[in-house]
Amino acid sequence: MHEEPGRNPPAQGPNGGNIPEYSVSEISGAIRRTLEGTFGRVRVRGEITEFKRYPSGHLYFSLKDEQGKISGVVWRGSVSRLGLAPENGVEIIATGKISAYGERSSYQLVVERMEYAGEGALLARIERLRLKLAEEGLFDTERKRTIPLLPRVIGVVTSAQGAVLHDIRTTLSRRFPRPVLVWPVPVQGEGAPAQIVAAIAGFDRLDGTGPIPRPDVLIIARGGGSLEDLMAFNDESVVRAAAACRIPLISAVGHETDTTLIDFAADRRAPTPTAAAEMAVPVRTELLADIQHRAARALGALSRLLQGGRLRLDRAAGGLPDLPGLLQTARLRLDERSHRLGVALPALAQRRRADLVAVERRMPAVETLLAGRGTRLAVLGNGLQAGLRNTLQRQSGRLGQARVTPAPLMAILREKHLAMNGAGRQLEAVSPRAVLARGYALVTSGGHPVTQATGLKDGQRVELTFGDGTRDATIGRGGGLPVQGALDF
């Protein structure tokens, strides 16, 4: 039997036989060499369990199926190249190599890459997450924001390499050039979801007061790929960040047939990144043409409005009266009334003077009036004296019978005195002398009143009685007098 160098010779004796003797490290090394030499690189399918992430950056877990379990490890340098974020309960296909750990007499799978185990299991996982987020209301239509018609700044979250960013910029430049802020992120791999979330939150935190403006719309984009390649946009943290973003967000992940969960949380979904750019801005030429069309319509409407107003104004002006004609008529009427007034006033004064003369002629003679009033006054005085005398006699008789105070007598005297004063004022009011005091004169001849000028002759002596006395006068002929004679004093 060939002996390996450094190996102890076979033990001799009835119990030892020819069994070789190995040290622990020899056995561990032999097993390790056997495993690594026999299997090399392998692909192992199983469900992740007992997943742990250590501070050193290494990932430890186990893969299991219905009949077995194997330990696995991902060294820190391979984490970023895994292709997905491992978590418990996910069925994957791990690519790596078998290695033994001699100190613990164990073996493990050193994983370099992971992929989901079949699209069916992956789609089922995505559907469970979609139903969960939909129940929370993250996909409700009421949460969707309106994309602004013409954003001032557009934010883009995508990979710095590839044709996606170039397509977006080309489309924006062709349709309506706008400033673009790019936040480059990996769009697949282990750290892609966390960096996409950081980009969305970073854009949302901008307030526009600093040197970096706040975008008016965000575009989350990547090119096409397999379902595994798009899994970063099915990550729960990415979907929640898109739903919480206060900036209107357009998702453009994959091709037209690809659908990810971020499409449900976004405000608008575009089938391609180019279509997302077309949604973000209008076509400049079409916008200018629309503005010109609207301006033409506005000018036409304004012209029709002015024309209608002018027609209404003309109709209203036609219904107004002729102001110059009205003024001319009023002026003629005023002149006519002025002429009639100038003629009517002298005529009215003449009529009033004739009426006054007629009244004067009907007035009785002053002596007759005075005689009649004197007689009535004497009668009243006699009656008053008789009444007073009788009253005094009756009161004297009563005083002889009873003692009476002089107050009633004084009241009676005051009453009678007031009555006599009133009668005197009435007599004065109708007295001819009151008429004479107003400027009239009484003409008498031989003690008789003269009422007509034709009864007087030139040189005849007359007596004129005024309010304050009497004067003698001689009738003479005066020039320009309306009477047939004139008075000479």
Side-chain angles (χ1 to χ4, degrees), residues 326-382:
L326 289 178
L327 291 175
Q328 184 65 25
T329 303
R331 188 177 295 108
L332 292 176
R333 187 180 296 112
L334 179 61
D335 294 340
E336 180 185 1
R337 299 289 174 83
S338 300
H339 176 71
R340 291 174 59 186
L341 182 61
V343 174
L345 283 177
L348 179 62
Q350 185 66 29
R351 288 196 302 271
R352 292 292 184 264
R353 188 179 295 108
D355 293 339
L356 182 61
V357 171
V359 171
E360 180 182 4
R361 290 175 180 176
R362 290 195 300 269
M363 289 180 61
V366 176
E367 289 77 3
T368 304
L369 289 175
L370 292 177
R373 296 301 180 183
T375 303
R376 291 183 60 187
L377 184 61
V379 172
L380 289 175
N382 294 332

Short mmCIF file of all heavy atoms in Angstrom, two decimals, residues 326-382:
data_model
loop_
_atom_site.label_atom_id
_atom_site.label_comp_id
_atom_site.label_asym_id
_atom_site.label_seq_id
_atom_site.Cartn_x
_atom_site.Cartn_y
_atom_site.Cartn_z
N LEU A 326 -84.49 119.68 -28.39
CA LEU A 326 -85.16 119.93 -27.11
C LEU A 326 -84.73 121.26 -26.52
O LEU A 326 -85.56 122.02 -25.99
CB LEU A 326 -84.84 118.79 -26.14
CG LEU A 326 -85.48 117.44 -26.45
CD1 LEU A 326 -85.02 116.40 -25.43
CD2 LEU A 326 -87.01 117.55 -26.41
N LEU A 327 -83.44 121.57 -26.61
CA LEU A 327 -82.96 122.84 -26.09
C LEU A 327 -83.56 124.02 -26.86
O LEU A 327 -83.94 125.04 -26.27
CB LEU A 327 -81.43 122.89 -26.14
CG LEU A 327 -80.70 121.96 -25.17
CD1 LEU A 327 -79.19 122.03 -25.40
CD2 LEU A 327 -81.02 122.35 -23.72
N GLN A 328 -83.65 123.88 -28.19
CA GLN A 328 -84.22 124.96 -28.99
C GLN A 328 -85.69 125.17 -28.65
O GLN A 328 -86.16 126.32 -28.51
CB GLN A 328 -84.07 124.62 -30.49
CG GLN A 328 -84.54 125.71 -31.43
CD GLN A 328 -83.70 126.97 -31.32
OE1 GLN A 328 -82.54 126.90 -30.93
NE2 GLN A 328 -84.27 128.12 -31.65
N THR A 329 -86.43 124.06 -28.47
CA THR A 329 -87.85 124.18 -28.11
C THR A 329 -88.01 124.83 -26.74
O THR A 329 -88.87 125.70 -26.54
CB THR A 329 -88.49 122.79 -28.11
OG1 THR A 329 -88.32 122.18 -29.39
CG2 THR A 329 -89.96 122.88 -27.78
N ALA A 330 -87.16 124.41 -25.81
CA ALA A 330 -87.25 125.00 -24.47
C ALA A 330 -86.91 126.49 -24.51
O ALA A 330 -87.51 127.32 -23.80
CB ALA A 330 -86.30 124.27 -23.52
N ARG A 331 -85.91 126.85 -25.37
CA ARG A 331 -85.53 128.27 -25.48
C ARG A 331 -86.69 129.10 -26.06
O ARG A 331 -86.99 130.20 -25.58
CB ARG A 331 -84.28 128.39 -26.35
CG ARG A 331 -83.69 129.79 -26.37
CD ARG A 331 -82.41 129.85 -27.19
NE ARG A 331 -81.36 129.07 -26.59
CZ ARG A 331 -80.92 127.90 -27.07
NH1 ARG A 331 -81.47 127.40 -28.17
NH2 ARG A 331 -79.95 127.25 -26.47
N LEU A 332 -87.37 128.58 -27.08
CA LEU A 332 -88.51 129.28 -27.67
C LEU A 332 -89.64 129.42 -26.65
O LEU A 332 -90.28 130.48 -26.54
CB LEU A 332 -88.99 128.54 -28.91
CG LEU A 332 -88.04 128.53 -30.12
CD1 LEU A 332 -88.61 127.66 -31.24
CD2 LEU A 332 -87.80 129.96 -30.61
N ARG A 333 -89.87 128.33 -25.90
CA ARG A 333 -90.94 128.39 -24.91
C ARG A 333 -90.61 129.42 -23.83
O ARG A 333 -91.49 130.16 -23.35
CB ARG A 333 -91.13 127.00 -24.28
CG ARG A 333 -92.34 126.95 -23.35
CD ARG A 333 -92.52 125.56 -22.74
NE ARG A 333 -92.81 124.57 -23.77
CZ ARG A 333 -91.99 123.60 -24.13
NH1 ARG A 333 -90.80 123.50 -23.54
NH2 ARG A 333 -92.33 122.74 -25.07
N LEU A 334 -89.34 129.51 -23.45
CA LEU A 334 -88.93 130.48 -22.43
C LEU A 334 -89.13 131.91 -22.96
O LEU A 334 -89.61 132.79 -22.21
CB LEU A 334 -87.48 130.24 -22.05
CG LEU A 334 -86.89 131.18 -21.00
CD1 LEU A 334 -87.64 131.07 -19.68
CD2 LEU A 334 -85.40 130.88 -20.79
N ASP A 335 -88.73 132.15 -24.22
CA ASP A 335 -88.92 133.49 -24.78
C ASP A 335 -90.41 133.88 -24.84
O ASP A 335 -90.79 135.01 -24.52
CB ASP A 335 -88.32 133.55 -26.18
CG ASP A 335 -86.81 133.38 -26.16
OD1 ASP A 335 -86.21 133.59 -25.08
OD2 ASP A 335 -86.23 133.02 -27.21
N GLU A 336 -91.22 132.89 -25.22
CA GLU A 336 -92.66 133.17 -25.30
C GLU A 336 -93.22 133.49 -23.92
O GLU A 336 -94.00 134.45 -23.75
CB GLU A 336 -93.38 131.97 -25.91
CG GLU A 336 -94.89 132.17 -26.03
CD GLU A 336 -95.58 130.92 -26.54
OE1 GLU A 336 -94.88 129.90 -26.78
OE2 GLU A 336 -96.81 130.94 -26.67
N ARG A 337 -92.83 132.69 -22.93
CA ARG A 337 -93.34 132.95 -21.57
C ARG A 337 -92.84 134.30 -21.05
O ARG A 337 -93.58 135.00 -20.35
CB ARG A 337 -92.87 131.82 -20.64
CG ARG A 337 -93.40 130.44 -21.05
CD ARG A 337 -94.88 130.29 -20.79
NE ARG A 337 -95.40 129.04 -21.31
CZ ARG A 337 -95.34 127.88 -20.68
NH1 ARG A 337 -94.75 127.80 -19.51
NH2 ARG A 337 -95.87 126.80 -21.22
N SER A 338 -91.60 134.65 -21.38
CA SER A 338 -91.08 135.95 -20.92
C SER A 338 -91.88 137.09 -21.54
O SER A 338 -92.22 138.08 -20.86
CB SER A 338 -89.60 136.07 -21.30
OG SER A 338 -88.85 135.05 -20.70
N HIS A 339 -92.19 136.98 -22.85
CA HIS A 339 -92.98 138.03 -23.51
C HIS A 339 -94.38 138.12 -22.90
O HIS A 339 -94.87 139.23 -22.62
CB HIS A 339 -93.06 137.74 -25.01
CG HIS A 339 -93.93 138.70 -25.75
ND1 HIS A 339 -93.58 140.02 -25.97
CD2 HIS A 339 -95.18 138.55 -26.32
CE1 HIS A 339 -94.53 140.64 -26.63
NE2 HIS A 339 -95.52 139.77 -26.85
N ARG A 340 -95.00 136.96 -22.70
CA ARG A 340 -96.35 136.97 -22.11
C ARG A 340 -96.33 137.54 -20.70
O ARG A 340 -97.25 138.25 -20.29
CB ARG A 340 -96.91 135.56 -22.11
CG ARG A 340 -97.21 135.03 -23.51
CD ARG A 340 -97.62 133.57 -23.48
NE ARG A 340 -98.80 133.39 -22.64
CZ ARG A 340 -99.32 132.19 -22.33
NH1 ARG A 340 -98.74 131.09 -22.79
NH2 ARG A 340 -100.41 132.11 -21.58
N LEU A 341 -95.26 137.23 -19.95
CA LEU A 341 -95.18 137.76 -18.59
C LEU A 341 -95.01 139.27 -18.62
O LEU A 341 -95.62 139.99 -17.80
CB LEU A 341 -93.99 137.11 -17.87
CG LEU A 341 -93.79 137.52 -16.41
CD1 LEU A 341 -95.00 137.13 -15.57
CD2 LEU A 341 -92.53 136.88 -15.84
N GLY A 342 -94.18 139.77 -19.55
CA GLY A 342 -94.01 141.22 -19.63
C GLY A 342 -95.29 141.94 -20.00
O GLY A 342 -95.52 143.08 -19.58
N VAL A 343 -96.17 141.30 -20.78
CA VAL A 343 -97.44 141.92 -21.13
C VAL A 343 -98.46 141.75 -20.01
O VAL A 343 -99.27 142.64 -19.73
CB VAL A 343 -97.97 141.30 -22.44
CG1 VAL A 343 -99.37 141.80 -22.76
CG2 VAL A 343 -97.01 141.62 -23.59
N ALA A 344 -98.43 140.60 -19.33
CA ALA A 344 -99.47 140.30 -18.32
C ALA A 344 -99.28 141.12 -17.06
O ALA A 344 -100.27 141.50 -16.42
CB ALA A 344 -99.45 138.81 -18.00
N LEU A 345 -98.05 141.43 -16.66
CA LEU A 345 -97.86 142.14 -15.40
C LEU A 345 -98.48 143.55 -15.42
O LEU A 345 -99.21 143.93 -14.49
CB LEU A 345 -96.36 142.21 -15.08
CG LEU A 345 -95.76 140.92 -14.52
CD1 LEU A 345 -94.26 141.10 -14.31
CD2 LEU A 345 -96.43 140.54 -13.20
N PRO A 346 -98.22 144.36 -16.46
CA PRO A 346 -98.90 145.68 -16.47
C PRO A 346 -100.42 145.56 -16.52
O PRO A 346 -101.14 146.33 -15.88
CB PRO A 346 -98.36 146.35 -17.73
CG PRO A 346 -97.05 145.67 -17.99
CD PRO A 346 -97.24 144.27 -17.56
N ALA A 347 -100.92 144.58 -17.29
CA ALA A 347 -102.37 144.40 -17.35
C ALA A 347 -102.93 144.03 -16.00
O ALA A 347 -103.99 144.49 -15.57
CB ALA A 347 -102.71 143.34 -18.40
N LEU A 348 -102.21 143.16 -15.30
CA LEU A 348 -102.67 142.76 -13.96
C LEU A 348 -102.65 143.94 -13.00
O LEU A 348 -103.60 144.13 -12.21
CB LEU A 348 -101.76 141.64 -13.43
CG LEU A 348 -102.09 141.11 -12.03
CD1 LEU A 348 -103.49 140.51 -11.99
CD2 LEU A 348 -101.05 140.10 -11.58
N ALA A 349 -101.59 144.74 -13.08
CA ALA A 349 -101.54 145.91 -12.20
C ALA A 349 -102.68 146.88 -12.52
O ALA A 349 -103.28 147.47 -11.61
CB ALA A 349 -100.18 146.61 -12.34
N GLN A 350 -102.98 147.04 -13.81
CA GLN A 350 -104.08 147.93 -14.21
C GLN A 350 -105.41 147.41 -13.67
O GLN A 350 -106.24 148.19 -13.18
CB GLN A 350 -104.12 148.06 -15.74
CG GLN A 350 -105.14 149.04 -16.26
CD GLN A 350 -104.80 150.47 -15.86
OE1 GLN A 350 -103.65 150.81 -15.69
NE2 GLN A 350 -105.81 151.32 -15.66
N ARG A 351 -105.62 146.07 -13.78
CA ARG A 351 -106.88 145.52 -13.27
C ARG A 351 -106.98 145.69 -11.77
O ARG A 351 -108.03 146.02 -11.22
CB ARG A 351 -106.98 144.04 -13.64
CG ARG A 351 -107.25 143.80 -15.13
CD ARG A 351 -107.73 142.37 -15.36
NE ARG A 351 -106.76 141.38 -14.88
CZ ARG A 351 -105.77 140.90 -15.62
NH1 ARG A 351 -105.62 141.35 -16.87
NH2 ARG A 351 -104.95 140.00 -15.14
N ARG A 352 -105.89 145.47 -11.06
CA ARG A 352 -105.92 145.62 -9.60
C ARG A 352 -106.17 147.09 -9.21
O ARG A 352 -106.89 147.39 -8.25
CB ARG A 352 -104.59 145.14 -9.00
CG ARG A 352 -104.39 143.64 -9.15
CD ARG A 352 -105.38 142.88 -8.28
NE ARG A 352 -105.15 141.45 -8.34
CZ ARG A 352 -105.79 140.62 -9.15
NH1 ARG A 352 -106.71 141.14 -9.98
NH2 ARG A 352 -105.54 139.35 -9.15
N ARG A 353 -105.62 148.03 -10.02
CA ARG A 353 -105.86 149.45 -9.74
C ARG A 353 -107.32 149.81 -9.98
O ARG A 353 -107.95 150.54 -9.19
CB ARG A 353 -104.95 150.31 -10.63
CG ARG A 353 -104.98 151.79 -10.28
CD ARG A 353 -104.05 152.59 -11.17
NE ARG A 353 -102.67 152.24 -10.96
CZ ARG A 353 -101.94 151.55 -11.83
NH1 ARG A 353 -102.50 151.15 -12.97
NH2 ARG A 353 -100.68 151.27 -11.59
N ALA A 354 -107.91 149.29 -11.04
CA ALA A 354 -109.34 149.55 -11.31
C ALA A 354 -110.21 148.96 -10.22
O ALA A 354 -111.20 149.59 -9.78
CB ALA A 354 -109.71 148.97 -12.68
N ASP A 355 -109.88 147.75 -9.75
CA ASP A 355 -110.66 147.15 -8.67
C ASP A 355 -110.56 148.00 -7.41
O ASP A 355 -111.56 148.17 -6.68
CB ASP A 355 -110.13 145.73 -8.37
CG ASP A 355 -110.39 144.78 -9.54
OD1 ASP A 355 -111.27 145.07 -10.36
OD2 ASP A 355 -109.69 143.72 -9.61
N LEU A 356 -109.38 148.55 -7.15
CA LEU A 356 -109.21 149.36 -5.95
C LEU A 356 -110.04 150.66 -6.06
O LEU A 356 -110.67 151.09 -5.09
CB LEU A 356 -107.72 149.69 -5.78
CG LEU A 356 -107.35 150.50 -4.54
CD1 LEU A 356 -107.73 149.75 -3.27
CD2 LEU A 356 -105.85 150.80 -4.53
N VAL A 357 -110.03 151.25 -7.24
CA VAL A 357 -110.83 152.46 -7.43
C VAL A 357 -112.32 152.16 -7.27
O VAL A 357 -113.07 152.93 -6.64
CB VAL A 357 -110.55 153.06 -8.83
CG1 VAL A 357 -111.53 154.20 -9.15
CG2 VAL A 357 -109.11 153.58 -8.89
N ALA A 358 -112.74 151.02 -7.80
CA ALA A 358 -114.15 150.65 -7.65
C ALA A 358 -114.51 150.45 -6.19
O ALA A 358 -115.59 150.86 -5.73
CB ALA A 358 -114.45 149.38 -8.45
N VAL A 359 -113.64 149.83 -5.44
CA VAL A 359 -113.90 149.64 -4.00
C VAL A 359 -113.95 150.97 -3.29
O VAL A 359 -114.79 151.23 -2.41
CB VAL A 359 -112.82 148.72 -3.39
CG1 VAL A 359 -112.95 148.68 -1.88
CG2 VAL A 359 -112.95 147.32 -3.97
N GLU A 360 -113.05 151.88 -3.69
CA GLU A 360 -113.01 153.18 -3.04
C GLU A 360 -114.32 153.95 -3.29
O GLU A 360 -114.83 154.66 -2.41
CB GLU A 360 -111.81 153.98 -3.56
CG GLU A 360 -111.69 155.36 -2.94
CD GLU A 360 -110.52 156.13 -3.52
OE1 GLU A 360 -109.87 155.58 -4.46
OE2 GLU A 360 -110.26 157.23 -3.07
N ARG A 361 -114.83 153.81 -4.52
CA ARG A 361 -116.06 154.53 -4.84
C ARG A 361 -117.25 153.98 -4.05
O ARG A 361 -118.20 154.71 -3.78
CB ARG A 361 -116.34 154.43 -6.33
CG ARG A 361 -115.35 155.24 -7.18
CD ARG A 361 -115.60 155.01 -8.65
NE ARG A 361 -114.65 155.79 -9.45
CZ ARG A 361 -114.58 155.74 -10.77
NH1 ARG A 361 -115.40 154.92 -11.45
NH2 ARG A 361 -113.71 156.49 -11.43
N ARG A 362 -117.21 152.71 -3.71
CA ARG A 362 -118.32 152.14 -2.96
C ARG A 362 -118.22 152.40 -1.47
O ARG A 362 -119.13 152.06 -0.72
CB ARG A 362 -118.39 150.64 -3.21
CG ARG A 362 -118.84 150.28 -4.64
CD ARG A 362 -119.22 148.83 -4.73
NE ARG A 362 -118.12 147.94 -4.38
CZ ARG A 362 -117.26 147.45 -5.29
NH1 ARG A 362 -117.39 147.80 -6.57
NH2 ARG A 362 -116.28 146.67 -4.92
N MET A 363 -117.13 152.98 -1.03
CA MET A 363 -116.98 153.24 0.41
C MET A 363 -117.95 154.36 0.83
O MET A 363 -118.10 155.35 0.13
CB MET A 363 -115.53 153.66 0.73
CG MET A 363 -114.53 152.52 0.60
SD MET A 363 -112.87 153.10 0.99
CE MET A 363 -113.12 153.63 2.68
N PRO A 364 -118.62 154.31 1.97
CA PRO A 364 -119.53 155.35 2.47
C PRO A 364 -118.74 156.58 2.92
O PRO A 364 -117.52 156.49 3.11
CB PRO A 364 -120.25 154.68 3.62
CG PRO A 364 -119.32 153.61 4.09
CD PRO A 364 -118.59 153.14 2.87
N ALA A 365 -119.44 157.67 3.13
CA ALA A 365 -118.79 158.91 3.60
C ALA A 365 -118.26 158.70 4.99
O ALA A 365 -118.82 157.96 5.80
CB ALA A 365 -119.79 160.07 3.59
N VAL A 366 -117.18 159.45 5.28
CA VAL A 366 -116.53 159.28 6.58
C VAL A 366 -117.45 159.78 7.69
O VAL A 366 -117.56 159.18 8.76
CB VAL A 366 -115.21 160.06 6.61
CG1 VAL A 366 -114.56 159.98 7.96
CG2 VAL A 366 -114.27 159.50 5.53
N GLU A 367 -118.16 160.96 7.46
CA GLU A 367 -119.02 161.48 8.50
C GLU A 367 -120.14 160.51 8.80
O GLU A 367 -120.55 160.32 9.95
CB GLU A 367 -119.60 162.84 8.05
CG GLU A 367 -118.59 163.97 8.00
CD GLU A 367 -117.71 163.88 6.78
OE1 GLU A 367 -117.94 162.95 5.95
OE2 GLU A 367 -116.76 164.68 6.66
N THR A 368 -120.67 159.87 7.70
CA THR A 368 -121.75 158.90 7.91
C THR A 368 -121.27 157.74 8.74
O THR A 368 -121.93 157.28 9.68
CB THR A 368 -122.29 158.40 6.56
OG1 THR A 368 -122.69 159.53 5.77
CG2 THR A 368 -123.45 157.47 6.74
N LEU A 369 -120.09 157.26 8.38
CA LEU A 369 -119.54 156.13 9.15
C LEU A 369 -119.28 156.54 10.59
O LEU A 369 -119.60 155.79 11.52
CB LEU A 369 -118.23 155.65 8.51
CG LEU A 369 -118.37 154.91 7.17
CD1 LEU A 369 -116.99 154.60 6.60
CD2 LEU A 369 -119.16 153.60 7.36
N LEU A 370 -118.71 157.74 10.73
CA LEU A 370 -118.41 158.17 12.10
C LEU A 370 -119.69 158.38 12.89
O LEU A 370 -119.77 158.05 14.07
CB LEU A 370 -117.59 159.46 12.06
CG LEU A 370 -116.16 159.30 11.51
CD1 LEU A 370 -115.48 160.68 11.46
CD2 LEU A 370 -115.37 158.38 12.41
N ALA A 371 -120.71 158.97 12.21
CA ALA A 371 -121.97 159.20 12.92
C ALA A 371 -122.61 157.89 13.33
O ALA A 371 -123.08 157.71 14.46
CB ALA A 371 -122.92 160.01 12.03
N GLY A 372 -122.64 156.95 12.39
CA GLY A 372 -123.24 155.65 12.71
C GLY A 372 -122.48 154.95 13.81
O GLY A 372 -123.06 154.39 14.74
N ARG A 373 -121.15 154.97 13.70
CA ARG A 373 -120.36 154.29 14.73
C ARG A 373 -120.49 155.00 16.07
O ARG A 373 -120.52 154.36 17.13
CB ARG A 373 -118.87 154.25 14.30
CG ARG A 373 -118.61 153.44 13.04
CD ARG A 373 -119.06 152.01 13.18
NE ARG A 373 -118.80 151.23 11.96
CZ ARG A 373 -119.15 149.97 11.80
NH1 ARG A 373 -119.82 149.35 12.77
NH2 ARG A 373 -118.92 149.36 10.67
N GLY A 374 -120.58 156.38 16.02
CA GLY A 374 -120.74 157.11 17.29
C GLY A 374 -122.06 156.78 17.95
O GLY A 374 -122.15 156.64 19.16
N THR A 375 -123.12 156.68 17.12
CA THR A 375 -124.42 156.33 17.69
C THR A 375 -124.37 154.95 18.32
O THR A 375 -124.85 154.73 19.44
CB THR A 375 -125.50 156.38 16.59
OG1 THR A 375 -125.49 157.69 16.00
CG2 THR A 375 -126.86 156.07 17.14
N ARG A 376 -123.78 154.00 17.62
CA ARG A 376 -123.70 152.64 18.16
C ARG A 376 -122.85 152.61 19.41
O ARG A 376 -123.17 151.92 20.38
CB ARG A 376 -123.09 151.69 17.12
CG ARG A 376 -124.01 151.45 15.92
CD ARG A 376 -123.40 150.46 14.97
NE ARG A 376 -123.18 149.18 15.66
CZ ARG A 376 -122.52 148.15 15.09
NH1 ARG A 376 -122.00 148.31 13.87
NH2 ARG A 376 -122.38 147.03 15.76
N LEU A 377 -121.81 153.43 19.42
CA LEU A 377 -120.97 153.46 20.60
C LEU A 377 -121.70 154.06 21.78
O LEU A 377 -121.58 153.60 22.92
CB LEU A 377 -119.70 154.25 20.29
CG LEU A 377 -118.64 154.32 21.40
CD1 LEU A 377 -118.16 152.91 21.74
CD2 LEU A 377 -117.46 155.18 20.97
N ALA A 378 -122.51 155.12 21.49
CA ALA A 378 -123.28 155.73 22.57
C ALA A 378 -124.30 154.76 23.12
O ALA A 378 -124.51 154.65 24.34
CB ALA A 378 -123.97 157.00 22.06
N VAL A 379 -124.95 154.02 22.18
CA VAL A 379 -125.94 153.02 22.64
C VAL A 379 -125.27 151.97 23.48
O VAL A 379 -125.78 151.56 24.54
CB VAL A 379 -126.66 152.41 21.42
CG1 VAL A 379 -127.55 151.25 21.85
CG2 VAL A 379 -127.49 153.47 20.72
N LEU A 380 -124.11 151.52 22.98
CA LEU A 380 -123.40 150.50 23.76
C LEU A 380 -122.97 151.04 25.10
O LEU A 380 -123.05 150.35 26.12
CB LEU A 380 -122.18 150.01 22.97
CG LEU A 380 -122.47 149.15 21.72
CD1 LEU A 380 -121.19 148.86 20.97
CD2 LEU A 380 -123.16 147.86 22.13
N GLY A 381 -122.49 152.32 25.11
CA GLY A 381 -122.08 152.89 26.39
C GLY A 381 -123.24 153.03 27.34
O GLY A 381 -123.11 152.73 28.53
N ASN A 382 -124.41 153.51 26.83
CA ASN A 382 -125.56 153.62 27.70
C ASN A 382 -125.99 152.26 28.23
O ASN A 382 -126.33 152.11 29.41
CB ASN A 382 -126.72 154.28 26.94
CG ASN A 382 -126.41 155.72 26.57
OD1 ASN A 382 -125.64 156.39 27.28
ND2 ASN A 382 -126.99 156.23 25.48
#
